[in-house]
Amino acid sequence: MILVTVMYPAGAETKFDLDYYLSKHMPLVKERWTPHGLSNAQVVKGVSKPDGSAPDFQMMALLTFGSLDNFKAAGKAHGREIFADIPNFTDTQATVQISEILA
Amino acid sequence: MILVTVMYPAGAETKFDLDYYLSKHMPLVKERWTPHGLSNAQVVKGVSKPDGSAPDFQMMALLTFGSLDNFKAAGKAHGREIFADIPNFTDTQATVQISEILA
């Protein structure tokens, strides 16, 4: 299994429409990618670093796929539509990373 | 519930002893912090960005706690011992963030 992390950087000047993100974007992601092996989608909102300072990422989506091939096929089939939706809720540039789930 | 992400940056010059991390460090984390509300500990190994370039983080631990108070108490009780173990497996500086689990 793999984990795809989509991390939206924090910053005072950035905009992020949480309501749109939760009510429109993430349901779109789940609807399109669940048939392609998306088995879990966790959404977390950055609070702080342990010392109380601002977090690096204001929002993160943690997407679990059955395999890397699943994710590649999901991206190929619906990536364009999903990525095109991002400017509807944020002007930040997300950092996306693929990781292997070890434990 | 909250998610504590511990993200170890990638870099050709860095060292990371995966065997020690999985066989010694993470079991220590679970043993010490489970009684303080740690309910899940996922470990993922960075593979790449979607375009195939190197990932930003070579390893990430995703720790779920019942509450922020749980994590604070866990850190107070055993943080020193756990943090002191980090140089035993890596010379990188982890980025730690606390996030609220929304969905």
Side-chain angles (χ1 to χ4, degrees):
Chain A
M1 291 204 299
I2 64 154
L3 185 75
V4 178
T5 45
V6 184
M7 304 188 282
Y8 298 93
E13 302 295 311
T14 62
K15 82 163 187 160
F16 197 100
D17 183 339
L18 184 58
D19 181 57
Y20 185 96
Y21 180 68
L22 294 177
S23 67
K24 305 283 188 189
H25 184 72
M26 287 307 299
L28 174 68
V29 168
K30 288 181 202 173
E31 187 180 321
R32 293 293 186 271
W33 282 352
T34 298
H36 287 279
L38 174 67
S39 58
N40 192 44
Q42 189 175 51
V43 175
V44 305
K45 185 179 192 300
V47 173
S48 70
K49 294 189 178 179
D51 66 3
S53 62
D56 288 338
F57 303 104
Q58 59 183 304
M59 197 71 52
M60 292 191 266
L62 308 173
L63 309 177
T64 304
F65 282 87
S67 70
L68 183 56
D69 284 345
N70 282 165
F71 175 62
K72 285 181 177 170
K76 195 164 181 176
H78 302 291
R80 189 175 300 186
E81 177 187 11
I82 288 173
F83 298 141
D85 188 44
I86 294 179
N88 290 327
F89 61 88
T90 188
D91 56 2
T92 64
Q93 182 73 38
T95 291
V96 183
Q97 172 169 329
I98 300 159
S99 301
E100 182 188 352
I101 298 175
L102 297 185
Chain B
M1 291 206 299
I2 64 154
L3 185 75
V4 178
T5 44
V6 185
M7 302 187 284
Y8 298 93
E13 303 295 310
T14 61
K15 82 163 187 162
F16 197 100
D17 183 338
L18 184 58
D19 181 58
Y20 185 96
Y21 179 68
L22 294 177
S23 67
K24 305 282 188 190
H25 184 72
M26 287 307 300
L28 174 69
V29 168
K30 288 181 201 174
E31 187 180 321
R32 293 292 185 272
W33 282 352
T34 299
H36 288 278
L38 174 68
S39 59
N40 192 44
Q42 189 175 51
V43 176
V44 306
K45 184 179 191 301
V47 173
S48 70
K49 294 189 180 180
D51 66 4
S53 62
D56 288 339
F57 303 104
Q58 59 183 302
M59 198 69 53
M60 294 191 265
L62 309 172
L63 309 176
T64 304
F65 281 87
S67 70
L68 183 56
D69 283 347
N70 282 165
F71 176 62
K72 285 181 178 171
K76 195 164 183 178
H78 303 290
R80 189 174 300 184
E81 178 187 12
I82 289 172
F83 299 141
D85 189 45
I86 294 179
N88 290 327
F89 61 88
T90 188
D91 56 2
T92 65
Q93 182 74 37
T95 292
V96 183
Q97 172 169 331
I98 300 159
S99 300
E100 182 188 352
I101 297 174
L102 298 185

